[in-house]
Amino acid sequence: MKTVIYSTTSKDIEKAAEIISRGGLVAFPTETVYGLGADAMNSKAVADVYKAKGRPSDNPMIVHVSDSSDLDKLTGSITNDMKRLMDELWPGPLTMVVPKGESVPMRTTGGLDTVAVRMPANEVALKLIAMSGCPIAAPSANLSGKPSPTRADDVIADMDGRIQGIIRGEDCKVGIESTVVDMTGETPVILRPGIITAQKIEAVLGKKVIYDSALFKKAEDEGFKPRSPGMKYKHYAPEADMVIVSGQRTNVESEIERIREDKEREGLKVGVILFEENGFDEAAHDLFADLRDMDKAGVDLIIAGALDTDDQWGFAVMNRMVRSAGYNIVKV
Ligand code: TXA
Ligand code: MG
């Protein structure tokens, strides 16, 4: 399949929108990571997204809207809490899991009776959705298992020849995926942490928000049953082996140097990811891009310094980093 690269002019977005409304696939920028979009109401198009990504079909998609009123088509019940979050935090990196409306195909929700919805804070994405005339189902635009793409070139590397179009937009501002919060019960539950923190949601709703307990477990731990199906798959993995060094900063720095020297002596090419202390937004912005750059550079081993998980953004970035490293963590 020939993949057409589109610019962000209105004319080009219009062409990309036409592909989506005809059942085709187009990758597009959002503020978090690039998405791989299809008409959310078209089962066949959604099936093609799973194929293009090599994604297990029980992993549901996030449905992207350009206006809160689009939600009427997607869910039968909009609560006051949902309304408040939409008013305060949309457009933005917050995905809400809500009861699924009848017209949403089961393919889109991976067979669940809930649907994940979000309004991205990116002009190109919003125009594309509006011009397509349908809500857009979009997982991250990477091959399944790989780090999410935060730059158009990363999308091209994974998706060229597999989809009809890619909109070449700017680099994603946030760099990690949206916060996913389950709004189907009385108490909101965070299924995937992001830069919209539990505190932020609590402040808007004036009530307690909890975390899915699976966020604190490893995939091989007993009782690991994430409520967000995507959390159970191998994820964000670079080609290189990866190890995380965790502990007090000075110890982490010297351990990283020790491992580096050791491995370089063995003839391995080593890459180091060590973000500034408290530089959580930079860490979110750079993590996936750094992993991909190291693979491009042919690095054999990536050594990364752990972030402080007491910080909510640090917690969100570490949620990805530990998966990238396959839970390979050295404590010092
Ligand atoms: O920032 C983002 O959310 C990006 C951009 C493109 O919007 N999208 C994204 O999609 O990260 P994806 O498919 O890579 O991750 C969606 C996550 C998965 O972990 C999936 O299991 C979960 O959301 N999810 C989707 N629908 C769900 C549902 N009904 N119930 C629970 N979890 C759901
Ligand atoms: Mg993904």
Side-chain angles (χ1 to χ4, degrees):
M1 181 186 302
K2 170 107 180 68
T3 304
V4 182
I5 311 292
Y6 294 101
S7 74
T8 56
T9 59
S10 288
K11 215 167 133 215
D12 263 21
I13 298 175
E14 180 84 62
K15 285 185 205 153
E18 222 173 279
I19 294 178
I20 300 247
S21 57
R22 291 210 190 114
L25 310 187
V26 175
F28 62 98
T30 81
E31 80 280 35
T32 56
V33 301
Y34 272 75
L36 173 50
D39 177 354
M41 308 312 247
N42 179 336
S43 256
K44 159 85 175 54
V46 170
D48 288 343
V49 173
Y50 286 109
K51 264 188 243 152
K53 272 187 69 101
R55 180 187 183 108
S57 63
D58 73 334
N59 192 358
M61 310 222 173
I62 295 175
V63 178
H64 298 68
V65 299
S66 60
D67 194 292
S68 302
S69 66
D70 295 345
L71 234 60
D72 299 341
K73 289 178 257 178
L74 301 173
T75 180
S77 56
I78 300 173
T79 63
N80 284 334
D81 281 352
M82 286 162 55
K83 269 203 207 94
R84 267 189 218 120
L85 291 182
M86 285 192 269
D87 286 348
E88 295 290 325
L89 302 175
W90 277 9
L94 177 75
T95 296
M96 294 193 288
V97 172
V98 303
K100 181 182 103 61
E102 262 173 35
S103 56
V104 182
M106 278 291 178
R107 256 277 153 61
T108 304
T109 65
L112 298 175
D113 57 6
T114 54
V115 59
V117 288
R118 122 170 167 89
M119 190 197 296
N122 177 295
E123 283 311 315
V124 175
L126 292 171
K127 270 194 198 164
L128 178 72
I129 301 163
M131 287 176 175
S132 300
C134 58
I136 295 185
S140 49
N142 52 284
L143 290 174
S144 195
K146 291 240 236 165
S148 299
T150 57
R151 304 168 297 196
D153 285 337
D154 300 337
V155 180
I156 294 170
D158 278 18
M159 288 298 154
D160 191 22
R162 294 176 160 262
I163 59 180
Q164 282 83 359
I166 296 172
I167 300 180
R168 178 187 277 291
E170 58 184 15
D171 292 354
C172 300
K173 292 206 167 66
V174 176
I176 58 170
E177 307 86 346
S178 60
T179 305
V180 178
V181 61
D182 184 342
M183 296 302 293
T184 57
E186 187 47 39
T187 303
V189 185
I190 296 207
L191 308 184
R192 179 174 73 182
I195 66 153
I196 301 228
T197 62
Q199 268 123 342
K200 181 118 201 187
I201 298 170
E202 283 175 346
V204 172
L205 298 181
K207 63 152 87 163
K208 183 95 196 124
V209 170
I210 61 172
Y211 289 101
D212 182 5
S213 61
L215 289 177
F216 304 97
K217 294 193 174 116
K218 289 193 218 174
E220 60 270 27
D221 284 354
E222 206 175 311
F224 179 77
K225 255 213 202 103
R227 288 164 56 177
S228 176
M231 303 293 283
K232 68 181 184 233
Y233 299 109
K234 182 170 142 74
H235 239 118
Y236 314 125
E239 308 283 331
D241 286 338
M242 181 167 168
V243 60
I244 296 173
V245 182
S246 156
Q248 219 215 320
R249 181 74 178 198
T250 47
N251 296 342
V252 167
E253 283 173 8
S254 52
E255 179 65 9
I256 288 178
E257 272 320 300
R258 198 193 61 73
I259 302 176
R260 184 219 287 268
E261 278 170 26
D262 213 43
K263 294 298 173 185
E264 283 180 346
R265 216 173 299 124
E266 287 174 24
L268 295 186
K269 186 160 181 180
V270 176
V272 171
I273 298 180
L274 187 62
F275 297 113
E276 262 177 55
E277 263 180 306
N278 306 319
F280 301 113
D281 53 347
E282 196 188 322
H285 184 267
D286 290 355
L287 176 67
F288 291 142
D290 285 354
L291 294 176
R292 283 176 174 267
D293 285 347
M294 288 193 184
D295 276 343
K296 263 189 267 167
V299 165
D300 301 298
L301 175 70
I302 299 170
I303 317 172
L307 302 174
D308 178 5
T309 51
D310 288 338
D311 177 277
Q312 290 209 15
W313 285 17
F315 176 66
V317 178
M318 282 307 286
N319 169 270
R320 278 66 175 187
M321 204 195 273
V322 297
R323 285 179 176 71
S324 303
Y327 300 95
N328 186 13
I329 303 172
V330 175
K331 296 220 163 74
V332 290

